[in-house]
Amino acid sequence: MAKIITDDVMLRQYIPNVFATVDDEISLYDKLSPFLDVAESWLEQNITSPTVLDKIAVGNRDSLFANVAMFVVSHAFAAAIPSLDLVLTPNGFGIVSNNNVVPASKERVERLINSLYTVKYQCLTILLRMLRAEVEWHESEQCKWLAESIIQDLDLVVKCKDSAVSEADRWLSFISLRQKAYSIEQEIANGWISPQLMARLRIAEATATCSNEIYPLISLVKGVVCATLRTGRLNHKLLDDAVAYIRSYPKLFPEWHNSKTAKLFSPPIFENEKKSGGYFF
């Protein structure tokens, strides 16, 4: 049962230029209902969690609800469009038409679907940012999944890739980008930032709990990861700058100063003793 879009009146607020249905016709809401359910289910499983979506549904007049509603309708409508003007007869499929309305061209329908995908991912990008302010969401599996990488914003798909990204495939591209970034993030963690501090930066980014002193470090690491995804080259100079920044704040970054990675930048001092293998007079 739908939680966000619950009736035909609410649905029509988010879809312009829809003809009214007469008494003997199936309402647009009934036609889209299965697609609306799928859209909400996708959102629960991948982004919000069922508990948080329930909470959003209660606050049905705030900006968070409006953003989620627009996402759900765009997702459902884009998926439903190919079947809305087709009917199944005993002799096969037919096109719904009448003497007053001319069927839209294939190009116009494709533009509509692409525009719905664009709106869908604009809403999703905003939603991921808005959820960071929801303390209840911080404990969800969806938030923990997001915090597994420093790549957490959908718009990074465009910034981190040289080739064009299809709006229909934006989410899959986002998943793929995070998978590719993982090995880069691990190299940065082991060689410069430390795994412990990298984990803290990811969580701080996902939950919007980073201080003014930590945010520049998150931006630097994220920038290096994105640049490496584009060029295939790790910027050692910027990472050395990151280490210098970390070392200047020992109380702010205790994870790094207590890590094995920190020892790479503070090698033991050689003492000239007779028992040393390199002893000299």
Side-chain angles (χ1 to χ4, degrees):
M1 183 177 179
K3 302 176 182 178
I4 303 299
I5 305 298
T6 56
D7 55 46
D8 195 69
V9 174
M10 183 180 293
L11 174 62
R12 289 170 181 269
Q13 293 177 5
Y14 297 95
I15 302 180
N17 301 329
V18 179
F19 283 5
T21 54
V22 296
D23 292 340
D24 60 344
E25 288 182 332
I26 300 175
S27 70
L28 179 62
Y29 181 78
D30 288 335
K31 291 178 180 179
L32 288 186
S33 184
F35 299 95
L36 293 168
D37 289 342
V38 169
E40 289 189 10
S41 178
W42 187 94
L43 202 60
E44 285 183 340
Q45 294 175 19
N46 294 281
I47 307 297
T48 63
S49 82
T51 302
V52 172
L53 190 64
D54 287 342
K55 180 181 177 182
I56 294 172
V58 173
N60 62 3
R61 293 186 181 277
D62 61 19
S63 58
L64 183 56
F65 176 89
N67 188 75
V68 168
M70 194 67 201
F71 168 86
V72 169
V73 172
S74 300
H75 184 119
F77 198 27
I81 281 175
S83 63
L84 285 177
D85 65 343
L86 294 177
V87 292
L88 181 60
T89 72
N91 298 318
F93 286 100
I95 298 176
V96 178
S97 182
N98 56 48
N99 296 328
N100 299 319
V101 180
V102 178
S105 66
K106 177 182 176 182
E107 290 74 18
R108 287 194 175 188
V109 174
E110 288 178 348
R111 284 202 301 270
L112 173 59
I113 293 174
N114 288 333
S115 70
L116 288 169
Y117 280 130
T118 298
V119 172
K120 168 185 171 179
Y121 287 114
Q122 286 175 344
C123 291
L124 193 55
T125 300
I126 296 171
L127 176 59
L128 283 170
R129 294 170 183 164
M130 296 178 78
L131 285 173
R132 291 178 165 94
E134 299 293 320
V135 176
E136 189 174 6
W137 182 72
H138 295 171
E139 299 302 319
S140 69
E141 292 301 317
Q142 289 73 16
C143 179
K144 293 174 183 177
W145 172 82
L146 191 68
E148 290 176 0
S149 170
I150 203 74
I151 302 297
Q152 300 180 11
D153 294 311
L154 277 169
D155 54 8
L156 291 178
V157 173
V158 175
K159 295 178 182 178
C160 295
K161 295 186 69 174
D162 291 328
S163 58
V165 178
S166 168
E167 289 294 345
D169 298 328
R170 177 69 67 98
W171 180 254
L172 293 179
S173 297
F174 179 60
I175 300 296
S176 176
L177 194 70
R178 283 167 58 91
Q179 291 172 342
K180 293 175 181 177
Y182 183 77
S183 60
I184 298 171
E185 293 180 40
Q186 289 303 102
E187 184 177 356
I188 292 173
N190 293 329
W192 286 271
I193 305 299
S194 83
Q196 297 89 336
L197 181 53
M198 179 66 83
R200 178 184 169 194
L201 297 182
R202 290 166 175 165
I203 294 172
E205 174 74 349
T207 58
T209 54
C210 54
S211 64
N212 292 335
E213 294 84 5
I214 296 176
Y215 184 75
L217 183 60
I218 294 176
S219 297
L220 188 152
V221 173
K222 191 189 306 181
V224 170
V225 172
C226 286
T228 307
L229 285 166
R230 289 196 310 269
T231 66
R233 296 188 300 273
L234 203 59
N235 192 323
H236 291 199
K237 173 62 172 61
L238 282 179
L239 292 172
D240 289 340
D241 290 344
V243 172
Y245 182 79
I246 293 169
R247 296 179 77 174
S248 65
Y249 291 96
K251 293 183 179 180
L252 191 59
F253 304 110
E255 306 95 334
W256 186 88
H257 291 275
N258 296 324
S259 70
K260 293 181 180 179
T261 307
K263 296 179 182 179
L264 299 175
F265 298 89
S266 300
I269 300 173
F270 175 75
E271 295 183 5
N272 187 32
E273 299 178 355
K274 289 184 178 181
K275 61 181 181 181
S276 301
Y279 174 74
F280 58 90
F281 294 99

